[in-house]
Amino acid sequence: QVQLVESGGGLVQPGGSLRLSCAASGSITSGYAMGWYRQAPGKQRELVAVINGDLSTNRADSVKGRFAISRDNAKKTVYLAMNSLEREDTAVYYCYAKWSTRIYWGQGTQVTVSS
């Protein structure tokens, strides 16, 4: 059984930083793409960043230069380092793992950027 458990969300002031972690358990291998989506109130879920099995990455234009994604395959964990946070980054952040048609989701972690 696959589980994804996120941590690291919270309240931060504009310009601040947070690091999200997502630890996977079960049959997740290094070949899975892992990444983060987010959903703000009243908005659709959007892709934030993904890191593939070959370690190539992709990020939304809105977070380029501010967010970085990385993974530790030995720990089955993906990280999202978020810097220069803006109020518009406020959302629930969801971790996911994908291989072919298989996709698994975490329960989400709230990130709130506010003064």
Side-chain angles (χ1 to χ4, degrees), residues 51-112:
I51 183 165
N52 296 303
D54 63 1
L55 302 184
S56 61
T57 64
N58 192 26
R59 290 169 292 172
D61 288 343
S62 60
V63 306
K64 285 180 180 176
R66 301 188 298 121
F67 292 11
I69 189 169
S70 59
R71 66 192 290 168
D72 183 333
N73 287 330
K75 295 182 178 179
K76 294 186 179 182
T77 299
V78 62
Y79 304 97
L80 185 68
M82 305 186 293
N83 299 306
S84 301
L85 282 160
E86 303 169 353
R87 287 181 173 83
E88 293 73 21
D89 296 316
T90 295
V92 178
Y93 284 70
Y94 296 92
C95 171
Y96 76 99
K98 185 177 184 296
W99 172 265
S100 184
T101 58
R102 298 179 183 175
I103 186 165
Y104 303 99
W105 293 95
Q107 80 286 356
T109 186
Q110 177 70 46
V111 172
T112 302

Side-chain angles (χ1 to χ4, degrees), residues 20-40:
L20 304 183
S21 300
C22 172
S25 61
S27 58
I28 299 294
T29 67
S30 60
Y32 274 72
M34 296 186 73
W36 298 87
Y37 273 75
R38 68 186 180 187
Q39 188 165 21

